[in-house]
Amino acid sequence: MATLTGVQKQYILHWGEMGTRWGINRTVAQIHALLYLSSRALPAEEIAETLSVARSNVSTSIRELETWGIVRAVHVLGDRREHYESMKDVWEMFRLVVEQRKRREIDPTREMLRRSLEELDPKEPGAEFTRERIAAMAGFFDAVTELHDQMKALPTGTVRKLLRMGAKVKRVKAI
Amino acid sequence: MATLTGVQKQYILHWGEMGTRWGINRTVAQIHALLYLSSRALPAEEIAETLSVARSNVSTSIRELETWGIVRAVHVLGDRREHYESMKDVWEMFRLVVEQRKRREIDPTREMLRRSLEELDPKEPGAEFTRERIAAMAGFFDAVTELHDQMKALPTGTVRKLLRMGAKVKRVKAI
DNA sequence: CTATAATTTCAGTTAAGACAGAATATACTG
DNA sequence: CAGTATATTCTGTCTTAACTGAAATTATAG
């Protein structure tokens, strides 16, 4: 079992807290942090010991991280256990998470809003008002989706470049 | 007490669920949804009855929404109770929330990463590796902050326009 | 200033989610 | 194919956060 340095502990604990604030299980986040900081793939056993959590907890959490696509199992010669390692590319990791949270949360919300607009009975009291409000929210989510798709289509650096250019809005508009 | 239509119920319940997935208290989210859909400001009492939650729970939740700056108390002539209403501008609401979550969560994380890099003892085993990893993460958070600041500085529509332009990356680069 | 309405705070309870450990299943080795 | 190592699933326990109701505080009206 790898003993953690102070800095590593600090990072892992902070990451765990961050996770809980964004709806991600603390252990899941901590395991990710540990693997991210690890220079070699770790077997479940070792993860459990290092973080002082149950082996079964690690199993579930790893599976969660695997479905996100940011952790994968690798094999080490002469060891039949699975060893787990984290993706190294930070941008790519966040891109994956954002894309999937969009699919799991944004998309169903748009769906709900669309359905609401359909189901709205114009005879209900205040229907017109309700429609306006829901349509405004739907418009926002549509725009976010559009934004997401456009960003996805661009190479990472380009987005930043474009925004930097945006500071000179007048010029850009003139193009 | 206003009875809710089916569409309103659907919206409020969904919004509550969304909240929990993003680390926002279910009741807080539901109250926001109710106020967002309401054509008039509502007193705490009525909110409590409509959503079937305790009056005190409403009090706490409203205060939370007030600190976000997306709900405010207004007064109705001839009624000494406070009535609460939600901001109407969807973009502005999300902008406020994003800005504050950045301050509460992203900024402290950057701080932690910076501190970690300072505290790293080069003599520790694997210090160089740890430094690389943390620096990569710090770079990401710096970039996100830069992105956030740049977007904040631009009028809403411009961001979308810029990204749409980005589809023609070559041309943009040539500018 | 007193009475009453409204709001907030606080202590205790409840509910949801996280977690551990046992039981089960799967995969590997000789 | 038997035995063993590893991984997963499941059930109950525990922790944490949400919520309630009562008590305390604050504000308003007469």
Side-chain angles (χ1 to χ4, degrees):
Chain A
M1 156 183 170
T3 25
L4 300 169
T5 67
V7 163
Q8 288 171 328
K9 262 188 218 144
Q10 172 174 267
Y11 182 94
I12 290 168
L13 292 174
H14 186 101
W15 208 238
E17 286 316 305
M18 277 294 276
T20 61
R21 299 229 184 177
W22 290 87
I24 288 166
N25 181 294
R26 179 179 285 113
T27 307
V28 170
Q30 286 185 351
I31 290 177
H32 175 259
L34 173 62
L35 293 177
Y36 177 75
L37 289 183
S38 175
S39 53
R40 62 191 169 87
L42 304 178
E45 187 71 32
E46 190 171 341
I47 297 172
E49 284 171 12
T50 307
L51 299 177
S52 312
V53 296
R55 175 69 189 72
S56 57
N57 198 0
V58 172
S59 179
T60 316
S61 301
I62 288 280
R63 208 147 53 83
E64 171 86 8
L65 287 165
E66 281 177 331
T67 70
W68 288 107
I70 62 181
V71 159
R72 61 172 187 168
V74 295
H75 288 276
V76 172
L77 281 177
D79 191 337
R80 73 201 228 194
R81 295 174 303 176
E82 309 231 41
H83 291 58
Y84 301 97
E85 68 177 13
S86 163
M87 180 174 279
K88 277 148 196 156
D89 183 334
V90 180
W91 282 91
E92 179 60 11
M93 283 191 325
F94 278 91
R95 200 191 60 72
L96 280 168
V97 171
V98 166
E99 187 168 335
Q100 288 177 76
R101 291 201 74 159
K102 175 183 168 294
R103 197 159 48 235
R104 298 182 195 181
E105 290 146 22
I106 310 287
D107 292 353
T109 300
R110 292 177 73 198
E111 182 55 28
M112 179 276 289
L113 293 168
R114 197 195 52 66
R115 204 170 50 247
S116 292
L117 288 172
E118 273 177 14
E119 290 171 3
L120 249 183
D121 179 356
K123 284 178 226 103
E124 267 170 8
E128 199 37 54
F129 183 84
T130 307
R131 172 178 300 284
E132 259 172 46
R133 283 295 167 94
I134 294 183
M137 189 58 77
F140 174 79
F141 275 89
D142 289 349
V144 166
T145 299
E146 198 196 331
L147 254 168
H148 171 261
D149 291 346
Q150 284 171 8
M151 285 187 137
K152 206 171 63 176
L154 297 174
T156 299
T158 310
V159 175
R160 278 190 277 168
K161 251 180 250 164
L162 280 167
L163 286 168
R164 213 170 290 130
M165 282 176 43
K168 308 179 180 181
V169 182
K170 293 266 162 51
R171 244 194 96 191
V172 169
K173 274 185 181 164
I175 297 165
Chain B
M1 157 181 169
T3 27
L4 299 169
T5 67
V7 163
Q8 289 171 328
K9 262 187 217 141
Q10 173 174 265
Y11 182 94
I12 291 168
L13 291 174
H14 185 103
W15 207 238
E17 286 315 306
M18 278 293 277
T20 61
R21 299 228 184 179
W22 290 88
I24 288 165
N25 181 294
R26 180 179 282 115
T27 307
V28 171
Q30 286 184 351
I31 291 177
H32 176 260
L34 173 62
L35 294 178
Y36 177 74
L37 289 183
S38 175
S39 54
R40 61 191 169 87
L42 303 178
E45 187 71 31
E46 190 171 343
I47 296 172
E49 284 170 10
T50 308
L51 298 178
S52 312
V53 295
R55 174 69 188 72
S56 56
N57 197 0
V58 172
S59 178
T60 316
S61 300
I62 288 280
R63 207 145 54 82
E64 171 87 8
L65 287 165
E66 281 177 331
T67 69
W68 289 108
I70 61 181
V71 159
R72 61 171 188 170
V74 295
H75 288 275
V76 172
L77 280 177
D79 191 337
R80 74 199 226 193
R81 295 174 303 177
E82 309 233 41
H83 290 59
Y84 301 96
E85 69 177 13
S86 164
M87 179 176 279
K88 277 148 197 157
D89 183 334
V90 180
W91 282 90
E92 179 60 10
M93 283 191 324
F94 278 91
R95 201 191 60 73
L96 281 169
V97 171
V98 165
E99 187 168 336
Q100 288 176 76
R101 292 202 74 160
K102 174 182 169 295
R103 199 158 46 234
R104 297 181 196 184
E105 290 145 23
I106 309 286
D107 291 353
T109 300
R110 292 178 74 199
E111 181 55 28
M112 180 275 289
L113 293 168
R114 196 194 51 66
R115 205 171 47 247
S116 293
L117 289 172
E118 273 177 13
E119 291 171 3
L120 249 182
D121 178 357
K123 284 177 227 106
E124 267 170 8
E128 200 36 56
F129 183 84
T130 307
R131 170 178 301 284
E132 261 172 42
R133 283 295 168 91
I134 294 183
M137 189 58 77
F140 174 79
F141 276 89
D142 289 350
V144 166
T145 299
E146 197 197 332
L147 254 167
H148 172 262
D149 291 346
Q150 285 170 9
M151 285 187 136
K152 206 172 62 175
L154 297 175
T156 298
T158 309
V159 175
R160 277 190 278 170
K161 249 179 252 166
L162 280 168
L163 286 168
R164 214 169 289 130
M165 281 177 44
K168 308 179 181 179
V169 182
K170 293 265 162 50
R171 241 194 99 192
V172 169
K173 273 184 180 163
I175 297 166

